[in-house]
Amino acid sequence: MRRLLVEQKNIQRVRMEDVPQVALTDGQARLAVDHFALTANNVTYAACGFDIGYWKFFPSGIDGQGIVPVWGVAKVVESRSADLTEGQRLYGFYPMAEELVIVPKVAPGGIGDASPHREGLPAIYNLYMPVKPADPAQDHMRALLQPLLATSWLLFDWLGDNDWFGAEQIIIGSASSKTGLGLCKFLAEPAERPYRIVGLTSERNRAFVEGLGACDQVLGYDAVDRLAQVPSVYVDMAGNGEVKAALHTRLDGHLKHSAAVGLSHWDKFQPQLLLAGIKPKFFFAPAQAGKRSEEWGQAKVQQEIGAAWKRIAAEASGWMTLQEHEGLDSAPAVYAALADGSADPRDGQIVTL
């Protein structure tokens, strides 16, 4: 069995490793990974691996080496559990590897992994949803967009839940990322809204974001000084310290909330940076999902998220091109392009095994 290892303290260094296939014990099932998506979100998982705990999901057993989680579909190829039968297909959180062994346990909405090392980790990542055989394009769209747009919708819901923090403008950093553009589109849906939507992106991607038609204004990262000085919220998918500092300075006294979400610019992250005004707070999507599950019930939350991401995905062919890569050997190059920022935001990257 092969897996892709990432150096935890230098996430651009990766290597392939062959490990013996482990024999199943009673209660376990073996899942062969069919395909998975690679996005800037996976780079965030690696960059936040220690702080948020993403390295804990699929421990490598090797000091300093981690396995980055990805979203995709796998097939049950061997089972010693009454809760899973061979041939079932499951969508969910997988390692960048050819297979995963889990301890299946029936849970609301699907199958949970009751492996001891996953105890206490967020339930949203431990849940595997049975999926029927589908057209590959549909499968790939789910792997690419469902987790990202779920985060986008939870951000949108959280902002509304807080009355937009009284903001007249909501600024999205890394608006070209799929999570960022999803949030822009959800924010643009209400017919009447009290805020303007401002997308921040690199000059290279500015025309792409403008073409999405979801933002009232699109600015390059070097044009933060053009932001209107009105009550504002900053939702940061990039984690670029220089941009964050410039924005906090420009909006000092006007910034009502600064949310840290992603690290697509992980190499420019400066956690000890002194910022003007309010201190950024980390947004953890599973926390908002948990809050809504308590208020609405888990089934209602899944229904809302499912309907939301499918609305955006229905038009994705207009702004995203699927790029399919064969074999685990293709993953390092795709991951490297995402990590160094050279990947085209118009592309949706899928690795098939």
Side-chain angles (χ1 to χ4, degrees):
M1 194 276 288
R2 296 193 310 156
R3 60 186 189 175
L4 193 65
L5 296 178
V6 175
E7 192 169 305
Q8 293 170 326
K9 293 186 178 180
N10 182 356
I11 64 171
Q12 287 184 292
R13 295 187 65 177
V14 302
R15 66 180 175 90
M16 199 73 69
E17 182 189 45
D18 285 284
V19 293
Q21 188 179 67
V22 298
L24 297 187
T25 59
D26 287 342
Q28 292 184 322
R30 190 187 315 279
L31 281 55
V33 177
D34 180 81
H35 65 269
F36 60 81
L38 277 174
T39 70
N41 202 35
N42 303 109
V43 177
T44 292
Y45 290 160
C48 298
F50 289 113
D51 295 333
I52 303 179
Y54 289 113
W55 296 129
K56 296 178 181 178
F57 284 92
F58 311 112
S60 70
I62 302 173
D63 188 43
Q65 301 289 312
I67 302 175
V68 176
V70 291
W71 292 90
V73 170
K75 183 178 181 180
V76 181
V77 292
E78 185 183 357
S79 180
R80 294 184 62 179
S81 166
D83 291 330
L84 274 183
T85 58
E86 293 180 14
Q88 284 186 271
R89 302 173 79 246
L90 298 174
Y91 164 79
F93 216 42
Y94 291 101
M96 268 204 281
E98 292 177 333
E99 67 175 47
L100 172 66
V101 173
I102 67 171
V103 178
K105 183 178 180 180
V106 174
I111 299 291
D113 182 3
S115 297
H117 74 275
R118 292 180 76 162
E119 185 177 353
L121 296 174
I124 195 170
Y125 296 126
N126 285 340
L127 184 67
Y128 293 87
M129 294 183 289
V131 291
K132 297 177 181 179
D135 177 86
Q138 291 179 310
D139 262 353
H140 297 168
M141 197 68 75
R142 181 196 295 113
L144 275 164
L145 295 182
Q146 181 167 333
L148 304 182
L149 296 181
T151 298
S152 303
W153 184 84
L154 287 165
L155 275 163
F156 170 71
D157 179 64
W158 166 75
L159 289 166
D161 203 17
N162 286 278
D163 296 321
W164 321 108
F165 294 94
E168 295 178 19
Q169 70 179 357
I170 298 176
I171 306 155
I172 295 90
S174 195
S176 66
S177 68
K178 292 173 180 61
T179 308
L181 69 85
L183 177 57
C184 291
K185 285 181 173 291
F186 287 131
L187 287 168
E189 285 185 336
E192 296 184 6
R193 47 187 169 89
Y195 51 80
R196 297 174 69 251
I197 305 165
V198 181
L200 294 184
T201 189
S202 65
E203 190 61 32
R204 179 170 65 93
N205 293 330
R206 191 158 63 89
F208 168 68
V209 176
E210 288 174 338
L212 297 172
C215 296
D216 299 299
Q217 183 181 25
V218 180
L219 296 174
Y221 290 123
D222 59 353
V224 168
D225 58 354
R226 291 173 52 193
L227 286 168
Q229 292 176 305
V230 298
S232 304
V233 167
Y234 182 41
V235 182
D236 183 19
M237 313 287 180
N240 186 315
E242 293 178 2
V243 173
K244 191 186 294 282
L247 184 144
H248 273 245
T249 298
R250 171 66 177 174
L251 297 178
D252 190 14
H254 302 280
L255 201 56
K256 300 301 181 182
H257 191 88
S258 181
V261 182
L263 286 176
S264 60
H265 296 187
W266 62 274
D267 55 331
K268 296 182 175 65
F269 183 53
Q270 300 177 42
Q272 305 304 319
L273 189 66
L274 294 177
L275 299 171
I278 62 174
K279 185 178 180 180
K281 294 183 179 179
F282 180 73
F283 173 80
F284 191 46
Q288 181 66 12
K291 177 179 183 293
R292 287 307 197 195
S293 291
E294 291 181 5
E295 295 171 349
W296 301 345
Q298 191 171 26
K300 172 68 172 175
V301 174
Q302 290 180 346
Q303 180 183 7
E304 290 287 336
I305 290 175
W309 85 263
K310 287 175 182 177
R311 287 199 305 275
I312 307 300
E315 60 178 35
S317 61
W319 50 265
M320 185 176 71
T321 303
L322 285 174
Q323 301 286 344
E324 190 172 338
H325 308 270
E326 294 288 340
L328 194 60
D329 285 328
S330 67
V334 180
Y335 172 83
L338 291 162
D340 68 20
S342 63
D344 192 325
R346 298 166 181 81
D347 292 337
Q349 310 287 0
I350 291 288
V351 176
T352 60
L353 277 62

